[in-house]
């Protein structure tokens, strides 16, 4: 399992999802932006508590360059996203995840596109599960708009989004 964490609420939401998964989703490889210190602390705390229940709990942390900073121009974000994709390719190749779980941070786009590319090249087929953030009620996030076309399962938490995006799966509130 490869989990993409994002700063702020994205990490909190993804850890809530992970708390519902059995120990068979192990080892867990987390990917986060190189400048994201808060998520690392949250992940380490989560994994320490999980280790109290599951003694064989295994996880790792990997960092990639942030694809887009807050308030970064759209033009320059194309360049930084391409750089992040190039950085993600060897990481995705090394980890060869069976499943990627993500929920909207910009960091997930390069990772998912790298995994998608490895699948196209028949190196490793990875299932991509994208869960749109609970705060996205009427429109998708930019990450969601991109990964709607590349994910195997696209989960939304509001019925209006299911109506607008027929490929999505509506499960109600899951975080």
């Amino acid at each position: 399992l490869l989990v993409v964490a994002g700063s702020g609420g994205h990490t909190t939401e993804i850890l809530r999802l992970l708390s519902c998964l059995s120990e068979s989703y192990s080892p867990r490889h987390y990917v986060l932006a190189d400048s994201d210190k808060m998520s690392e602390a949250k992940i380490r705390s989560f994994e320490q508590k999980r280790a109290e229940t599951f003694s064989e709990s295994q996880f790792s942390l990997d960092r990639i360059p942030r694809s887009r900073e807050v308030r970064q121009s759209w033009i320059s974000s194309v360049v930084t996203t391409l750089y992040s994709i190039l950085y993600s390719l060897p990481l995705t190749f090394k980890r060869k995840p069976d499943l990627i779980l993500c929920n909207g941070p910009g960091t997930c786009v390069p990772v998912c596109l790298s995994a998608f590319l490895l699948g196209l090249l028949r190196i490793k087929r990875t299932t991509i599960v994208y869960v749109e953030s609970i705060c996205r009620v009427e429109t998708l996030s930019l990450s969601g708009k991109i990964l709607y076309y590349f994910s195997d399962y696209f989960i939304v938490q509001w019925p209006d989004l299911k109506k607008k995006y027929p490929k999505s799966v509506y499960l109600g509130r899951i975080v």
Side-chain angles (χ1 to χ4, degrees):
L1 174 61
L2 191 143
V3 180
V4 184
S7 41
H10 290 293
T11 297
T12 301
E13 285 186 15
I14 205 78
L15 293 177
R16 283 186 187 154
L17 283 171
L18 289 175
S19 68
C20 299
L21 297 181
S22 72
E23 187 54 25
S24 62
Y25 290 91
S26 183
R28 286 167 303 289
H29 303 287
Y30 294 91
V31 176
L32 51 150
D34 53 8
S35 60
D36 186 358
K37 305 296 183 223
M38 183 175 24
S39 292
E40 180 177 353
K42 287 181 180 181
I43 291 166
R44 289 191 183 283
S45 174
F46 171 81
E47 287 293 339
Q48 185 176 18
K49 289 177 186 161
R50 192 167 175 97
E52 293 169 7
T53 306
F54 304 106
S55 60
E56 299 295 318
S57 188
Q58 297 176 347
F59 77 99
S60 67
L61 290 168
D62 291 300
R63 294 185 172 278
I64 64 169
R66 192 178 289 271
S67 58
R68 183 171 185 269
E69 295 288 346
V70 175
R71 295 186 186 89
Q72 182 180 349
S73 74
W74 294 106
I75 300 292
S76 66
S77 68
V78 170
V79 174
T80 54
T81 300
L82 288 173
Y83 176 69
S84 192
I85 290 170
L86 290 174
Y87 200 92
S88 298
L89 272 168
L91 171 65
T92 310
F93 180 79
K94 176 179 130 183
R95 296 293 183 200
K96 289 187 177 72
D98 296 314
L99 173 67
I100 293 178
L101 181 61
C102 56
N103 68 332
T107 307
C108 72
V109 173
V111 173
C112 290
L113 292 179
S114 297
F116 186 78
L117 180 60
L118 291 179
L120 288 178
L121 297 173
R122 299 189 188 275
I123 295 171
K124 171 65 177 168
R125 171 75 176 98
T126 301
T127 300
I128 299 171
V129 177
Y130 181 89
V131 180
E132 186 61 273
S133 176
I134 187 77
C135 68
R136 302 308 299 205
V137 178
E138 296 179 5
T139 61
L140 297 179
S141 62
L142 179 57
S143 298
K145 289 175 183 173
I146 295 168
L147 294 178
Y148 180 75
Y149 300 99
F150 296 98
S151 60
D152 296 286
Y153 299 96
F154 191 92
I155 300 168
V156 295
Q157 300 183 62
W158 295 95
D160 286 351
L161 287 177
K162 171 61 180 162
K163 291 175 192 169
K164 289 180 183 176
Y165 299 95
K167 177 191 165 200
S168 67
V169 176
Y170 169 65
L171 297 175
R173 184 176 172 194
I174 60 174
V175 294

